[in-house]
PDB file of all heavy atoms in Angstrom:
ATOM      1  N   MET A   5      -9.749 -25.856  -6.227  1.00 67.00           N
ATOM      2  CA  MET A   5      -9.189 -24.787  -6.971  1.00 67.00           C
ATOM      3  C   MET A   5     -10.182 -24.442  -8.021  1.00 67.00           C
ATOM      4  O   MET A   5     -10.920 -25.161  -8.548  1.00 67.00           O
ATOM      5  CB  MET A   5      -7.888 -25.283  -7.590  1.00 67.00           C
ATOM      6  CG  MET A   5      -6.751 -25.572  -6.622  1.00 67.00           C
ATOM      7  SD  MET A   5      -6.115 -24.003  -5.805  1.00 67.00           S
ATOM      8  CE  MET A   5      -5.165 -23.350  -7.240  1.00 67.00           C
ATOM      9  N   PRO A   6     -10.064 -23.141  -8.522  1.00 69.00           N
ATOM     10  CA  PRO A   6     -10.939 -22.701  -9.591  1.00 69.00           C
ATOM     11  C   PRO A   6     -10.527 -23.410 -10.920  1.00 69.00           C
ATOM     12  O   PRO A   6      -9.359 -23.827 -11.082  1.00 69.00           O
ATOM     13  CB  PRO A   6     -10.678 -21.192  -9.736  1.00 69.00           C
ATOM     14  CG  PRO A   6     -10.058 -20.766  -8.506  1.00 69.00           C
ATOM     15  CD  PRO A   6      -9.250 -22.053  -8.014  1.00 69.00           C
ATOM     16  N   ASP A   7     -11.514 -23.546 -11.919  1.00 73.00           N
ATOM     17  CA  ASP A   7     -11.164 -24.108 -13.185  1.00 73.00           C
ATOM     18  C   ASP A   7     -10.519 -22.979 -14.019  1.00 73.00           C
ATOM     19  O   ASP A   7     -10.384 -21.831 -13.580  1.00 73.00           O
ATOM     20  CB  ASP A   7     -12.405 -24.816 -13.851  1.00 73.00           C
ATOM     21  CG  ASP A   7     -13.485 -23.774 -13.953  1.00 73.00           C
ATOM     22  OD1 ASP A   7     -13.283 -22.560 -14.068  1.00 73.00           O
ATOM     23  OD2 ASP A   7     -14.723 -24.260 -13.937  1.00 73.00           O
ATOM     24  N   LEU A   8     -10.206 -23.379 -15.308  1.00 78.00           N
ATOM     25  CA  LEU A   8      -9.505 -22.402 -16.098  1.00 78.00           C
ATOM     26  C   LEU A   8     -10.294 -21.040 -16.331  1.00 78.00           C
ATOM     27  O   LEU A   8      -9.794 -20.007 -16.313  1.00 78.00           O
ATOM     28  CB  LEU A   8      -9.123 -23.024 -17.426  1.00 78.00           C
ATOM     29  CG  LEU A   8      -8.305 -22.121 -18.411  1.00 78.00           C
ATOM     30  CD1 LEU A   8      -6.914 -21.701 -17.744  1.00 78.00           C
ATOM     31  CD2 LEU A   8      -7.986 -22.909 -19.607  1.00 78.00           C
ATOM     32  N   SER A   9     -11.665 -21.306 -16.664  1.00 82.00           N
ATOM     33  CA  SER A   9     -12.458 -20.114 -16.924  1.00 82.00           C
ATOM     34  C   SER A   9     -12.545 -19.231 -15.740  1.00 82.00           C
ATOM     35  O   SER A   9     -12.563 -17.980 -15.920  1.00 82.00           O
ATOM     36  CB  SER A   9     -13.691 -20.545 -17.397  1.00 82.00           C
ATOM     37  OG  SER A   9     -14.506 -21.397 -16.363  1.00 82.00           O
ATOM     38  N   GLU A  10     -12.693 -19.838 -14.527  1.00 80.00           N
ATOM     39  CA  GLU A  10     -12.747 -19.031 -13.363  1.00 80.00           C
ATOM     40  C   GLU A  10     -11.485 -18.332 -13.018  1.00 80.00           C
ATOM     41  O   GLU A  10     -11.522 -17.116 -12.516  1.00 80.00           O
ATOM     42  CB  GLU A  10     -13.184 -19.904 -12.094  1.00 80.00           C
ATOM     43  CG  GLU A  10     -14.589 -20.413 -12.172  1.00 80.00           C
ATOM     44  CD  GLU A  10     -14.922 -21.324 -10.951  1.00 80.00           C
ATOM     45  OE1 GLU A  10     -13.997 -22.164 -10.722  1.00 80.00           O
ATOM     46  OE2 GLU A  10     -16.027 -21.214 -10.405  1.00 80.00           O
ATOM     47  N   TRP A  11     -10.292 -18.840 -13.423  1.00 85.00           N
ATOM     48  CA  TRP A  11      -8.992 -18.289 -13.243  1.00 85.00           C
ATOM     49  C   TRP A  11      -8.957 -16.951 -14.031  1.00 85.00           C
ATOM     50  O   TRP A  11      -8.579 -15.972 -13.661  1.00 85.00           O
ATOM     51  CB  TRP A  11      -7.926 -19.209 -13.551  1.00 85.00           C
ATOM     52  CG  TRP A  11      -7.347 -19.943 -12.369  1.00 85.00           C
ATOM     53  CD1 TRP A  11      -7.443 -21.247 -12.071  1.00 85.00           C
ATOM     54  CD2 TRP A  11      -6.540 -19.360 -11.301  1.00 85.00           C
ATOM     55  NE1 TRP A  11      -6.750 -21.504 -10.939  1.00 85.00           N
ATOM     56  CE2 TRP A  11      -6.162 -20.399 -10.397  1.00 85.00           C
ATOM     57  CE3 TRP A  11      -6.143 -18.037 -11.040  1.00 85.00           C
ATOM     58  CZ2 TRP A  11      -5.530 -20.163  -9.291  1.00 85.00           C
ATOM     59  CZ3 TRP A  11      -5.407 -17.788  -9.901  1.00 85.00           C
ATOM     60  CH2 TRP A  11      -5.068 -18.893  -9.014  1.00 85.00           C
ATOM     61  N   TRP A  12      -9.506 -17.112 -15.254  1.00 87.00           N
ATOM     62  CA  TRP A  12      -9.430 -15.937 -16.155  1.00 87.00           C
ATOM     63  C   TRP A  12     -10.417 -14.763 -15.645  1.00 87.00           C
ATOM     64  O   TRP A  12     -10.059 -13.634 -15.704  1.00 87.00           O
ATOM     65  CB  TRP A  12      -9.883 -16.354 -17.566  1.00 87.00           C
ATOM     66  CG  TRP A  12      -8.817 -17.015 -18.361  1.00 87.00           C
ATOM     67  CD1 TRP A  12      -8.863 -18.299 -18.849  1.00 87.00           C
ATOM     68  CD2 TRP A  12      -7.575 -16.416 -18.860  1.00 87.00           C
ATOM     69  NE1 TRP A  12      -7.601 -18.485 -19.538  1.00 87.00           N
ATOM     70  CE2 TRP A  12      -6.862 -17.433 -19.584  1.00 87.00           C
ATOM     71  CE3 TRP A  12      -6.955 -15.150 -18.636  1.00 87.00           C
ATOM     72  CZ2 TRP A  12      -5.666 -17.214 -20.116  1.00 87.00           C
ATOM     73  CZ3 TRP A  12      -5.713 -14.932 -19.155  1.00 87.00           C
ATOM     74  CH2 TRP A  12      -5.056 -15.883 -19.965  1.00 87.00           C
ATOM     75  N   ILE A  13     -11.494 -15.255 -15.131  1.00 82.00           N
ATOM     76  CA  ILE A  13     -12.428 -14.205 -14.496  1.00 82.00           C
ATOM     77  C   ILE A  13     -11.740 -13.572 -13.319  1.00 82.00           C
ATOM     78  O   ILE A  13     -11.773 -12.336 -13.150  1.00 82.00           O
ATOM     79  CB  ILE A  13     -13.774 -14.917 -14.151  1.00 82.00           C
ATOM     80  CG1 ILE A  13     -14.512 -15.316 -15.362  1.00 82.00           C
ATOM     81  CG2 ILE A  13     -14.577 -13.894 -13.343  1.00 82.00           C
ATOM     82  CD1 ILE A  13     -15.766 -16.146 -15.105  1.00 82.00           C
ATOM     83  N   PHE A  14     -11.188 -14.388 -12.509  1.00 80.00           N
ATOM     84  CA  PHE A  14     -10.535 -13.874 -11.279  1.00 80.00           C
ATOM     85  C   PHE A  14      -9.347 -12.917 -11.679  1.00 80.00           C
ATOM     86  O   PHE A  14      -9.186 -11.815 -11.145  1.00 80.00           O
ATOM     87  CB  PHE A  14      -9.933 -15.088 -10.465  1.00 80.00           C
ATOM     88  CG  PHE A  14      -9.090 -14.662  -9.315  1.00 80.00           C
ATOM     89  CD1 PHE A  14      -9.683 -14.269  -8.126  1.00 80.00           C
ATOM     90  CD2 PHE A  14      -7.746 -14.620  -9.427  1.00 80.00           C
ATOM     91  CE1 PHE A  14      -8.877 -13.701  -7.035  1.00 80.00           C
ATOM     92  CE2 PHE A  14      -6.911 -14.176  -8.340  1.00 80.00           C
ATOM     93  CZ  PHE A  14      -7.428 -13.772  -7.155  1.00 80.00           C
ATOM     94  N   LEU A  15      -8.517 -13.333 -12.501  1.00 84.00           N
ATOM     95  CA  LEU A  15      -7.410 -12.480 -12.983  1.00 84.00           C
ATOM     96  C   LEU A  15      -7.815 -11.199 -13.565  1.00 84.00           C
ATOM     97  O   LEU A  15      -7.277 -10.093 -13.373  1.00 84.00           O
ATOM     98  CB  LEU A  15      -6.477 -13.265 -13.850  1.00 84.00           C
ATOM     99  CG  LEU A  15      -5.748 -14.519 -13.195  1.00 84.00           C
ATOM    100  CD1 LEU A  15      -4.945 -15.224 -14.324  1.00 84.00           C
ATOM    101  CD2 LEU A  15      -4.741 -13.995 -12.130  1.00 84.00           C
ATOM    102  N   GLY A  16      -8.801 -11.317 -14.446  1.00 83.00           N
ATOM    103  CA  GLY A  16      -9.338 -10.044 -15.136  1.00 83.00           C
ATOM    104  C   GLY A  16      -9.895  -9.117 -14.068  1.00 83.00           C
ATOM    105  O   GLY A  16      -9.626  -7.914 -14.151  1.00 83.00           O
ATOM    106  N   THR A  17     -10.747  -9.634 -13.099  1.00 77.00           N
ATOM    107  CA  THR A  17     -11.274  -8.709 -12.127  1.00 77.00           C
ATOM    108  C   THR A  17     -10.264  -8.160 -11.122  1.00 77.00           C
ATOM    109  O   THR A  17     -10.286  -6.999 -10.790  1.00 77.00           O
ATOM    110  CB  THR A  17     -12.362  -9.526 -11.218  1.00 77.00           C
ATOM    111  OG1 THR A  17     -13.340 -10.066 -12.141  1.00 77.00           O
ATOM    112  CG2 THR A  17     -13.037  -8.671 -10.263  1.00 77.00           C
ATOM    113  N   ALA A  18      -9.285  -9.037 -10.756  1.00 78.00           N
ATOM    114  CA  ALA A  18      -8.251  -8.642  -9.892  1.00 78.00           C
ATOM    115  C   ALA A  18      -7.400  -7.560 -10.519  1.00 78.00           C
ATOM    116  O   ALA A  18      -6.902  -6.653  -9.881  1.00 78.00           O
ATOM    117  CB  ALA A  18      -7.347  -9.837  -9.534  1.00 78.00           C
ATOM    118  N   THR A  19      -7.084  -7.751 -11.882  1.00 81.00           N
ATOM    119  CA  THR A  19      -6.269  -6.718 -12.437  1.00 81.00           C
ATOM    120  C   THR A  19      -6.952  -5.329 -12.512  1.00 81.00           C
ATOM    121  O   THR A  19      -6.376  -4.237 -12.308  1.00 81.00           O
ATOM    122  CB  THR A  19      -6.038  -7.062 -13.890  1.00 81.00           C
ATOM    123  OG1 THR A  19      -5.389  -8.370 -13.982  1.00 81.00           O
ATOM    124  CG2 THR A  19      -5.206  -6.034 -14.593  1.00 81.00           C
ATOM    125  N   LEU A  20      -8.292  -5.306 -12.758  1.00 75.00           N
ATOM    126  CA  LEU A  20      -9.068  -3.986 -12.692  1.00 75.00           C
ATOM    127  C   LEU A  20      -9.018  -3.483 -11.398  1.00 75.00           C
ATOM    128  O   LEU A  20      -8.879  -2.247 -11.169  1.00 75.00           O
ATOM    129  CB  LEU A  20     -10.434  -4.369 -13.093  1.00 75.00           C
ATOM    130  CG  LEU A  20     -10.732  -4.655 -14.572  1.00 75.00           C
ATOM    131  CD1 LEU A  20     -12.199  -4.999 -14.843  1.00 75.00           C
ATOM    132  CD2 LEU A  20     -10.288  -3.539 -15.487  1.00 75.00           C
ATOM    133  N   ILE A  21      -9.135  -4.294 -10.294  1.00 72.00           N
ATOM    134  CA  ILE A  21      -9.081  -3.718  -8.947  1.00 72.00           C
ATOM    135  C   ILE A  21      -7.645  -3.302  -8.615  1.00 72.00           C
ATOM    136  O   ILE A  21      -7.472  -2.236  -7.960  1.00 72.00           O
ATOM    137  CB  ILE A  21      -9.526  -4.844  -7.866  1.00 72.00           C
ATOM    138  CG1 ILE A  21     -10.929  -5.149  -8.150  1.00 72.00           C
ATOM    139  CG2 ILE A  21      -9.321  -4.406  -6.491  1.00 72.00           C
ATOM    140  CD1 ILE A  21     -11.461  -6.445  -7.361  1.00 72.00           C
ATOM    141  N   ALA A  22      -6.688  -3.974  -9.106  1.00 75.00           N
ATOM    142  CA  ALA A  22      -5.254  -3.598  -8.742  1.00 75.00           C
ATOM    143  C   ALA A  22      -4.857  -2.322  -9.346  1.00 75.00           C
ATOM    144  O   ALA A  22      -4.123  -1.573  -8.678  1.00 75.00           O
ATOM    145  CB  ALA A  22      -4.294  -4.753  -9.273  1.00 75.00           C
ATOM    146  N   VAL A  23      -5.352  -1.937 -10.556  1.00 73.00           N
ATOM    147  CA  VAL A  23      -4.905  -0.685 -11.113  1.00 73.00           C
ATOM    148  C   VAL A  23      -5.822   0.443 -10.760  1.00 73.00           C
ATOM    149  O   VAL A  23      -5.548   1.618 -11.085  1.00 73.00           O
ATOM    150  CB  VAL A  23      -4.930  -0.868 -12.693  1.00 73.00           C
ATOM    151  CG1 VAL A  23      -3.980  -1.898 -13.126  1.00 73.00           C
ATOM    152  CG2 VAL A  23      -6.324  -1.107 -13.267  1.00 73.00           C
ATOM    153  N   ALA A  24      -6.988   0.198 -10.026  1.00 66.00           N
ATOM    154  CA  ALA A  24      -7.821   1.231  -9.596  1.00 66.00           C
ATOM    155  C   ALA A  24      -7.031   2.104  -8.517  1.00 66.00           C
ATOM    156  O   ALA A  24      -6.362   1.582  -7.656  1.00 66.00           O
ATOM    157  CB  ALA A  24      -9.217   0.792  -9.028  1.00 66.00           C
ATOM    158  N   PRO A  25      -7.257   3.412  -8.516  1.00 63.00           N
ATOM    159  CA  PRO A  25      -6.628   4.312  -7.529  1.00 63.00           C
ATOM    160  C   PRO A  25      -7.181   3.962  -6.115  1.00 63.00           C
ATOM    161  O   PRO A  25      -8.150   4.463  -5.763  1.00 63.00           O
ATOM    162  CB  PRO A  25      -7.000   5.734  -7.984  1.00 63.00           C
ATOM    163  CG  PRO A  25      -7.389   5.591  -9.363  1.00 63.00           C
ATOM    164  CD  PRO A  25      -8.001   4.258  -9.524  1.00 63.00           C
ATOM    165  N   GLY A  26      -6.388   3.205  -5.377  1.00 66.00           N
ATOM    166  CA  GLY A  26      -6.793   2.840  -4.055  1.00 66.00           C
ATOM    167  C   GLY A  26      -5.720   3.233  -3.041  1.00 66.00           C
ATOM    168  O   GLY A  26      -4.693   3.917  -3.420  1.00 66.00           O
ATOM    169  N   PRO A  27      -5.878   2.921  -1.762  1.00 70.00           N
ATOM    170  CA  PRO A  27      -4.883   3.295  -0.764  1.00 70.00           C
ATOM    171  C   PRO A  27      -3.470   2.853  -1.078  1.00 70.00           C
ATOM    172  O   PRO A  27      -2.482   3.690  -0.837  1.00 70.00           O
ATOM    173  CB  PRO A  27      -5.471   2.682   0.468  1.00 70.00           C
ATOM    174  CG  PRO A  27      -6.907   2.553   0.270  1.00 70.00           C
ATOM    175  CD  PRO A  27      -6.969   2.253  -1.195  1.00 70.00           C
ATOM    176  N   GLY A  28      -3.291   1.635  -1.607  1.00 74.00           N
ATOM    177  CA  GLY A  28      -2.032   1.133  -1.826  1.00 74.00           C
ATOM    178  C   GLY A  28      -1.224   1.966  -2.888  1.00 74.00           C
ATOM    179  O   GLY A  28      -0.072   2.397  -2.620  1.00 74.00           O
ATOM    180  N   ILE A  29      -1.883   2.177  -3.969  1.00 78.00           N
ATOM    181  CA  ILE A  29      -1.287   2.952  -5.070  1.00 78.00           C
ATOM    182  C   ILE A  29      -0.957   4.361  -4.742  1.00 78.00           C
ATOM    183  O   ILE A  29       0.035   4.941  -4.988  1.00 78.00           O
ATOM    184  CB  ILE A  29      -2.169   2.862  -6.340  1.00 78.00           C
ATOM    185  CG1 ILE A  29      -1.948   1.498  -7.116  1.00 78.00           C
ATOM    186  CG2 ILE A  29      -1.823   4.003  -7.363  1.00 78.00           C
ATOM    187  CD1 ILE A  29      -2.719   1.391  -8.326  1.00 78.00           C
ATOM    188  N   LEU A  30      -1.991   5.006  -4.020  1.00 78.00           N
ATOM    189  CA  LEU A  30      -1.805   6.354  -3.581  1.00 78.00           C
ATOM    190  C   LEU A  30      -0.675   6.541  -2.651  1.00 78.00           C
ATOM    191  O   LEU A  30       0.137   7.524  -2.617  1.00 78.00           O
ATOM    192  CB  LEU A  30      -3.083   6.824  -3.103  1.00 78.00           C
ATOM    193  CG  LEU A  30      -4.272   7.089  -3.988  1.00 78.00           C
ATOM    194  CD1 LEU A  30      -5.476   7.560  -3.297  1.00 78.00           C
ATOM    195  CD2 LEU A  30      -3.820   8.062  -5.184  1.00 78.00           C
ATOM    196  N   TYR A  31      -0.478   5.563  -1.765  1.00 82.00           N
ATOM    197  CA  TYR A  31       0.522   5.484  -0.800  1.00 82.00           C
ATOM    198  C   TYR A  31       1.897   5.439  -1.543  1.00 82.00           C
ATOM    199  O   TYR A  31       2.851   6.251  -1.280  1.00 82.00           O
ATOM    200  CB  TYR A  31       0.474   4.405   0.264  1.00 82.00           C
ATOM    201  CG  TYR A  31       1.705   4.234   1.161  1.00 82.00           C
ATOM    202  CD1 TYR A  31       1.858   5.088   2.194  1.00 82.00           C
ATOM    203  CD2 TYR A  31       2.648   3.249   0.850  1.00 82.00           C
ATOM    204  CE1 TYR A  31       3.037   4.943   2.948  1.00 82.00           C
ATOM    205  CE2 TYR A  31       3.774   3.151   1.722  1.00 82.00           C
ATOM    206  CZ  TYR A  31       3.989   3.994   2.755  1.00 82.00           C
ATOM    207  OH  TYR A  31       5.072   3.895   3.518  1.00 82.00           O
ATOM    208  N   VAL A  32       2.069   4.501  -2.414  1.00 86.00           N
ATOM    209  CA  VAL A  32       3.239   4.339  -3.232  1.00 86.00           C
ATOM    210  C   VAL A  32       3.551   5.598  -3.965  1.00 86.00           C
ATOM    211  O   VAL A  32       4.716   6.052  -4.191  1.00 86.00           O
ATOM    212  CB  VAL A  32       3.214   3.084  -4.074  1.00 86.00           C
ATOM    213  CG1 VAL A  32       4.449   3.021  -4.980  1.00 86.00           C
ATOM    214  CG2 VAL A  32       3.145   1.821  -3.257  1.00 86.00           C
ATOM    215  N   LEU A  33       2.547   6.206  -4.651  1.00 84.00           N
ATOM    216  CA  LEU A  33       2.691   7.418  -5.346  1.00 84.00           C
ATOM    217  C   LEU A  33       3.304   8.472  -4.465  1.00 84.00           C
ATOM    218  O   LEU A  33       4.219   9.279  -4.825  1.00 84.00           O
ATOM    219  CB  LEU A  33       1.374   7.851  -5.975  1.00 84.00           C
ATOM    220  CG  LEU A  33       1.310   9.256  -6.651  1.00 84.00           C
ATOM    221  CD1 LEU A  33       2.259   9.125  -7.869  1.00 84.00           C
ATOM    222  CD2 LEU A  33      -0.132   9.553  -7.122  1.00 84.00           C
ATOM    223  N   ALA A  34       2.691   8.675  -3.339  1.00 82.00           N
ATOM    224  CA  ALA A  34       3.178   9.766  -2.372  1.00 82.00           C
ATOM    225  C   ALA A  34       4.595   9.572  -2.009  1.00 82.00           C
ATOM    226  O   ALA A  34       5.385  10.478  -2.016  1.00 82.00           O
ATOM    227  CB  ALA A  34       2.217   9.786  -1.175  1.00 82.00           C
TER     228      ALA A  34
END
Side-chain angles (χ1 to χ4, degrees):
M5 294 290 288
D7 56 30
L8 183 59
S9 62
E10 288 178 318
W11 265 110
W12 281 116
I13 294 173
F14 172 81
L15 292 175
T17 305
T19 299
L20 291 176
I21 296 172
V23 300
I29 281 184
L30 292 177
Y31 172 77
V32 173
L33 174 62

